Amino acid sequence: MAPPALHPTALKLSSAISAAASTATSANGSTDNSSLYFNALSTPPYSSPGRDEEFALDSVEEAVDAYRRGEFVVVMDDESRENEGDLLLPAAGVTAEQMAWMIKHTSGYICISLPPERLEELDIAMMVPDNQEKHKTAYTITVDYKHGTSTGISAADRALTARQLTPGSGVTPSDFTRPGHMVPLRYNPGGTLARKGHTEAATDLAKLAGLPAAGLLCELIKPDCPSGSMARRDDCWVFARRWGLKLVTVEGIARYRKEVEKGRKD
C-alpha cells in the first residue's frame, strides 16, 4: 500500500529537502552548513567557540526561520527544571538522514509533539491513566507506521512514521501498529504559554513557522562523555555553535508568542 499524500505544506517542505539532499555532497557528507543536509556521517562545519567568546542566545525569530526551512534548532529549558537542551525539528518533512543525525547526537528516544485533536483522530491513547512523571510529560502509546517500514526502529522507518503522524497526512488509525518505536507526546493546547516544556516548544515553533502542528524532539547528550550524560547550558551552546544551529530557550519562545499574538490583536 502506498503512503497517502502529505499535507500540502508538509509536501512542499519534504520535496524541497529531498531535492536539496539529492545535489552533490562534499567530503563530509553535507552539501553546505545547513542542517537540512546533516546525516550520520556529517562532521561539525565550525570549530568550538573561543575562550573569549561569551555565551549568547539567538533570537526566536531566527529559530522560527530555521524551522520554516526544515532545520534543527536547539532549545533549552530553565536550569531549575530539567536543565536540558533538546534538538527540535519540524516533523512534516523530516528525512531519514536528519533522523539518523538526530539519533546519533541525542539519547535516541525520539518523541513527536502532537495536538490532542490529532491524537484523538488517530486513536492514540495516553500511555497510563495516572501520569506520575516528574514534569507530567504527556506520553502516549508508542506507534509505527505500517506501510513501507520494516521493524520500525531504523532512521528511515522512524522518519516515515513521524511524517505520517503529522496533521493532514491523510492516514487513519489502522495505518499504525501499537506499540511501536515512535513516541507521541500530547501537546498542551496552550503551548509554551501554559506549560514551559520542550513538548510545547516543538509544536509552537511549527505553528509560528506556518507548518503543520507537529515537532520532533529529543534530549542532547554531552559530546564525548563516556557515560552519556545530558547536555547542560554551556554544552548546548558549544554544540549549537559547532553545528551552526540556532539556540533559544522555552521561555524565549513563550515571550515571542506573546509578542506575536499581541501584535495580531493590535
Side-chain angles (χ1 to χ4, degrees):
M1 177 179 175
L6 287 172
H7 183 285
T9 307
L11 181 60
K12 182 179 179 181
L13 178 57
S14 183
S15 298
I17 293 173
S18 298
S22 67
T23 59
T25 58
S26 62
N28 73 354
S30 79
T31 51
D32 68 5
N33 295 337
S34 166
S35 62
L36 280 173
Y37 315 107
F38 289 171
N39 59 58
L41 300 180
S42 297
T43 56
Y46 303 104
S47 58
S48 298
R51 292 183 178 180
D52 59 343
E53 189 174 347
E54 295 184 359
F55 176 91
L57 295 169
D58 296 296
S59 72
V60 175
E61 187 173 7
E62 290 175 306
V64 170
D65 287 341
Y67 224 64
R68 187 178 293 116
R69 293 190 297 268
E71 298 181 7
F72 287 101
V73 171
V74 177
V75 178
M76 300 185 303
D77 69 351
D78 193 276
E79 290 185 24
S80 64
R81 192 176 179 271
E82 290 180 324
N83 187 24
E84 291 178 355
D86 280 28
L87 265 181
L88 272 57
L89 183 73
V94 58
T95 65
E97 291 78 12
Q98 286 178 311
M99 182 64 76
W101 188 85
M102 189 175 193
I103 292 167
K104 180 178 180 179
H105 294 285
T106 66
S107 68
Y109 193 64
I110 312 295
C111 299
I112 180 169
S113 169
L114 294 169
E117 59 270 21
R118 180 58 170 170
L119 296 172
E120 292 174 11
E121 181 182 354
L122 296 179
D123 195 21
I124 298 175
M126 302 309 296
M127 186 178 286
V128 293
D130 179 21
N131 189 341
Q132 299 176 15
E133 198 270 336
K134 182 177 180 181
H135 298 292
K136 302 299 181 183
T137 303
Y139 291 98
T140 73
I141 297 296
T142 56
V143 300
D144 283 335
Y145 185 60
K146 279 184 180 179
H147 316 294
T149 56
S150 54
T151 62
I153 191 60
S154 71
D157 285 357
R158 284 195 265 182
L160 178 56
T161 297
R163 293 196 302 271
Q164 299 305 333
L165 283 168
T166 300
S169 67
V171 295
T172 66
S174 63
D175 287 314
F176 297 92
T177 55
R178 301 160 177 79
H181 299 85
M182 182 54 62
V183 188
L185 303 177
R186 186 179 63 190
Y187 166 83
N188 187 307
T192 52
L193 300 182
R195 180 178 182 272
K196 299 295 191 297
H198 290 104
T199 302
E200 287 65 39
T203 290
D204 270 3
L205 283 175
K207 289 182 172 183
L208 288 165
L211 298 172
L216 293 164
L217 59 151
C218 196
E219 302 87 349
L220 276 170
I221 57 172
K222 189 180 296 186
D224 305 318
C225 177
S227 62
S229 298
M230 295 296 99
R232 305 305 179 190
R233 192 194 82 148
D234 289 348
D235 305 315
C236 294
W237 175 59
V238 171
F239 181 87
R241 290 298 173 264
R242 290 188 72 199
W243 288 97
L245 306 179
K246 300 305 177 186
L247 174 69
V248 295
T249 64
V250 176
E251 181 61 41
I253 293 171
R255 287 197 301 268
Y256 183 78
R257 261 199 63 180
K258 286 181 181 177
E259 293 170 5
V260 169
E261 292 174 9
K262 183 178 184 297
R264 288 173 182 166
K265 291 177 180 177
D266 293 346

